[in-house]
């Protein structure tokens, strides 16, 4: 079975060659690799072109910067593989990642079941050197089904016995091509959180979710105020995109407050963050308490670990 590995690149001249070699070295032999350079301003394309003589690699360079969703959609449209894997320009996958995720997709009913998306556990490394393990959904409970993942991502609704993990980010995704035919491509109007939007649509359309519990992806994490602001704008846009669905659940106002809270917190505007928390407790005390209790403690512990690692340097 032919599969497609899609690699997106923007200004990653020091990393992209390693990522491409990682894709080539995957133990699954029948594969094509599609690389999209999103009009990098460094020498990324020079590093990429070292591989242009290989028969199973296609290389595209955008004439202007078009964004991550455009690049991923181009990969999907060009893909001949029956299952598509995505790799970012700063992630490295275990060499058996494809084999293990395909095995899980087949165990979930493929090819009789056409609409399947698979994730895997991953390790994220921060600039401070701190490492965080992200365990795939379904590792400590039942995998989400139907609208359960959408409800978790939109307003943090968690059902007893269901393990939502860390969702379904594109960098850990293996997905049948038929899924795109059913739910559409990535939303090119979203500068960030496009994979969250795509996961919501997968969930609302009844796609089967599965996962590999092993750590198969190693990711370098970077953050900045500019990135934080772009996330904030895209998260607000995302919530508004699903306003009709959220209104049906009487949670539109509640869901809209969380992007503001995250933005104020990560921007260190703590007074504004506190005001939003107060408003959330007034509007929906039980749901707010559960959300903050479940996520706030782990977030604070992570921030403290990163702080002390930076402090000790």
């Amino acid at each position: 079975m032919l599969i497609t590995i899609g690699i997106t690149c923007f200004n990653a001249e020091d990393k992209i060659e390693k990522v491409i070699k990682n894709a080539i070295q995957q133990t699954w032999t029948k594969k094509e690799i599609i690389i999209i350079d999103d009009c990098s301003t460094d020498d990324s394309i020079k590093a990429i072109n070292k591989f242009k003589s290989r028969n199973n690699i296609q290389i595209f360079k955008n004439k202007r910067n078009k964004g991550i969703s455009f690049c991923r959609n181009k990969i999907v449209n060009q893909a001949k593989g029956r299952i598509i894997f995505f790799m970012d320009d700063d992630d490295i996958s275990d060499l058996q990642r494809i084999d293990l995720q395909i095995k899980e997709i087949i165990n979930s009913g493929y090819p009789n079941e056409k609409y399947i998306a698979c994730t895997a556990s991953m390790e994220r490394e921060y600039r401070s050197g701190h490492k965080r393990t992200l365990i795939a959904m379904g590792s400590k409970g039942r995998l989400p089904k139907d609208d359960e993942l959408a409800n978790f991502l939109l307003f943090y609704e968690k059902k007893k016995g269901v393990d939502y993990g860390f969702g379904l980010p594109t960098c850990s995704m293996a997905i049948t091509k038929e899924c795109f035919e059913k739910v559409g491509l990535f939303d090119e109007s979203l500068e960030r959180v496009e994979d969250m939007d795509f996961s919501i649509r997968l969930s609302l359309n009844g796609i089967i979710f599965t996962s590999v519990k092993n750590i198969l992806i190693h990711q370098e994490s970077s953050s900045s105020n500019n990135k934080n602001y772009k996330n904030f704008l895209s998260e607000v846009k995302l919530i508004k995109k699903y306003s009709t669905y959220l209104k049906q659940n009487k949670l539109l106002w509640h869901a809209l407050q969380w992007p503001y809270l995250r933005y104020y917190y990560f921007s260190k505007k703590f007074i504004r963050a506190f005001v939003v928390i107060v408003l959330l407790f007034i509007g929906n005390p039980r749901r707010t308490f559960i959300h903050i209790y479940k996520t706030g403690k782990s977030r604070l512990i992570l921030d403290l670990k990163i702080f002390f690692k930076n402090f000790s340097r």
Side-chain angles (χ1 to χ4, degrees), residues 41-42 168-169:
T41 56
D42 62 4
L168 188 68

Side-chain angles (χ1 to χ4, degrees), residues 149-160:
L149 184 61
N151 293 346
F152 170 73
L153 294 172
L154 285 168
F155 46 85
Y156 201 72
E157 179 175 275
K158 299 184 78 172
K159 288 188 177 179
K160 188 176 181 180

Side-chain angles (χ1 to χ4, degrees), residues 200-294:
I200 290 168
R201 282 185 280 133
L202 291 174
S203 178
L204 294 176
N205 280 276
I207 301 301
I208 296 170
F209 296 118
T210 188
S211 68
V212 176
K213 283 65 180 176
N214 310 51
I215 297 174
L216 299 184
I217 300 97
H218 299 268
Q219 179 189 68
E220 293 183 13
S221 179
S222 61
S223 60
S224 66
N225 287 334
N226 184 46
K227 187 176 178 180
N228 185 29
Y229 186 63
K230 287 179 179 179
N231 254 64
F232 162 67
L233 293 176
S234 294
E235 285 178 6
V236 170
K237 192 171 186 177
L238 174 70
I239 296 300
K240 291 180 177 179
K241 179 176 180 176
Y242 294 97
S243 60
T244 300
Y245 181 74
L246 287 163
K247 283 178 182 176
Q248 290 171 358
N249 289 275
K250 299 180 180 179
L251 287 168
L252 176 58
W253 181 88
H254 179 83
L256 264 175
Q257 305 314 305
W258 292 97
Y260 286 91
L261 177 57
R262 283 188 288 271
Y263 173 64
Y264 291 148
Y265 177 81
F266 290 116
S267 301
K268 295 182 171 54
K269 300 176 181 178
F270 297 122
I271 295 176
R272 292 187 180 185
F274 177 74
V275 171
V276 174
I277 289 174
V278 171
L279 292 173
L280 280 164
F281 269 106
I282 292 172
N284 200 324
R286 182 178 177 276
R287 191 177 291 274
T288 301
F289 174 79
I290 293 171
H291 193 157
I292 290 177
Y293 177 76
K294 293 288 187 180

Side-chain angles (χ1 to χ4, degrees), residues 32 66 75 95 134 157 185 195 209 237 247 296 298 311:
E32 65 170 1
K66 302 285 285 185
I75 288 167
L95 295 183
L134 302 172
E157 179 175 275
L185 298 171
D195 49 357
F209 296 118
K237 192 171 186 177
K247 283 178 182 176
S298 59
F311 184 76

Side-chain angles (χ1 to χ4, degrees), residues 31-68:
K31 56 182 176 281
E32 65 170 1
I33 300 169
I34 300 174
I35 307 165
I36 312 290
D37 180 76
D38 197 14
C39 196
S40 294
T41 56
D42 62 4
D43 285 330
S44 290
I45 194 63
K46 189 180 292 185
I48 293 169
N49 280 336
K50 291 179 183 179
F51 302 91
K52 65 181 179 182
S53 61
R54 295 185 66 100
N55 292 331
N56 65 335
I57 294 182
Q58 298 180 63
I59 298 169
F60 300 90
K61 179 177 171 63
N62 295 337
K63 292 182 180 179
R64 60 188 180 90
N65 186 265
K66 302 285 285 185
I68 191 68

